[in-house]
Amino acid sequence: MNHDTTSSTRGESLLSTHSVYGAPCWVSLTSRDLKATEDFYSAVLGWRWRPVRLGEPFRIALADGVPVAGIAAVAAMWQMAVAWTPYFAVRSADEAVSRAQERGGTAAVGPISLPPGRAALLADRDGATFGIWEGELFSDWDAWRTKRPAFIRLHTRDAFDAAIFYGEIFEWASGQGCEVRYEGDEVVLRHEGEVVARIESGALGAAPDPAVRPHWQVHFAVEDVTACARAAERHGGSVLSLGADEAVLRDADGAQFTVTARRLGS
């Protein structure tokens, strides 16, 4: 969900979600403590921050001056889990929510109005949480895509079944924006030739560990994976796994995310 509504006041030309329909268009973190969240991600990912017109609980994270993610300190207010969530562009939030519910998904929040658009938070039929956004996007959406998470990955029970669920909601088979391919054991989603999402099988719906249950994982491209992992530990987070090119981290508030070597982000 693109929290940054200040762009319209600066006279910039804006795109609509119609232009990137069906593609991931934003990632947002729900947190309990905005200051602690800012401090953690500044230390681990080098982000800077700016306020937005939506109000005090919202911030935009900047990487090299480019908006990269949104932070919403609403977890306690809206009784939501602390988590990173990808948002997909839709033409109509109401229609997307209806399609999801008709196919066994659930609506946790919304659709609600967050000018200049509307948003909803949903769960697919295996329980993985995702969001939808209807409305304006930055005119420099391609710049956001350059600085955005390397990609998002759905760990789910059955990749092919999940691809059908999401494909019917976002009309991936229409050929109007996103291209879906089955590559080995994965489903790969591309937008304008760039990999924007992957779906893989193997998650266990009843697993006691939430990291093993179906979920969307947000990957951020970084220059030094090990340095990010060490910084996370120093600032109250934890390292769930660490490899040469990728680490799964948990922030000080409990939200899980992945840092991936920049060269592997496609």
Side-chain angles (χ1 to χ4, degrees):
M1 173 171 47
N2 190 340
H3 299 304
D4 191 358
T5 63
T6 61
S7 56
S8 59
T9 67
R10 297 195 301 267
E12 295 178 4
S13 173
L14 292 168
L15 291 174
S16 160
T17 47
H18 288 255
S19 304
V20 294
Y21 176 57
C25 64
W26 194 238
V27 292
S28 186
L29 171 65
T30 51
S31 89
R32 298 186 184 93
D33 186 328
L34 191 61
K35 181 61 167 62
T37 298
E38 289 179 346
D39 290 345
F40 178 87
Y41 286 96
S42 292
V44 176
L45 298 177
W47 289 349
R48 297 296 178 261
W49 306 92
R50 77 174 182 220
V52 297
R53 202 172 60 188
L54 283 176
E56 181 60 27
F58 298 92
R59 291 289 188 277
I60 291 293
L62 305 174
D64 299 326
V66 176
V68 66
I71 307 294
V74 296
M77 182 190 318
W78 291 353
Q79 298 184 335
M80 297 167 61
V82 173
W84 277 103
T85 302
Y87 281 75
F88 292 81
V90 298
R91 296 190 183 98
S92 167
D94 292 309
E95 289 181 7
V97 169
S98 293
R99 287 195 194 112
Q101 291 175 322
E102 288 167 0
R103 290 157 179 80
T106 57
V109 177
I112 57 174
S113 294
L114 291 172
R118 302 183 73 226
L121 190 66
L122 308 170
D124 67 23
R125 51 194 172 213
D126 285 322
T129 301
F130 65 102
I132 56 171
W133 174 250
E134 169 201 349
E136 295 175 353
L137 298 169
F138 287 107
S139 58
D140 60 349
W141 187 78
D142 285 334
W144 173 80
R145 183 165 57 178
T146 300
K147 293 295 182 182
R148 63 156 174 79
F151 54 85
I152 57 174
R153 187 188 297 272
L154 176 61
H155 300 271
T156 190
R157 178 185 52 81
D158 184 322
F160 302 107
D161 181 71
I164 292 171
F165 174 84
Y166 287 95
E168 290 179 345
I169 296 172
F170 301 127
E171 298 183 287
W172 287 345
S174 69
Q176 299 180 11
C178 288
E179 176 188 1
V180 179
R181 290 185 180 177
Y182 298 90
E183 300 180 4
D185 295 331
E186 286 189 328
V187 178
V188 179
L189 181 68
R190 287 180 170 84
H191 180 269
E192 295 183 355
E194 298 288 335
V195 175
V196 292
R198 298 178 185 272
I199 302 175
E200 66 176 22
S201 302
L204 303 175
D209 183 352
V212 181
R213 295 199 294 265
H215 67 282
W216 280 98
Q217 186 80 353
V218 178
H219 294 240
F220 293 103
V222 299
E223 299 298 336
D224 190 330
V225 168
T226 301
C228 289
R230 290 173 178 167
E233 290 182 318
R234 288 197 304 269
H235 291 83
S238 56
V239 179
L240 303 183
S241 67
L242 176 61
D245 296 312
E246 189 168 279
V248 180
L249 309 178
R250 185 172 286 151
D251 70 19
D253 211 10
Q256 182 178 303
F257 64 103
T258 298
V259 291
T260 302
R262 192 172 298 279
R263 65 184 181 277
L264 300 182
S266 60

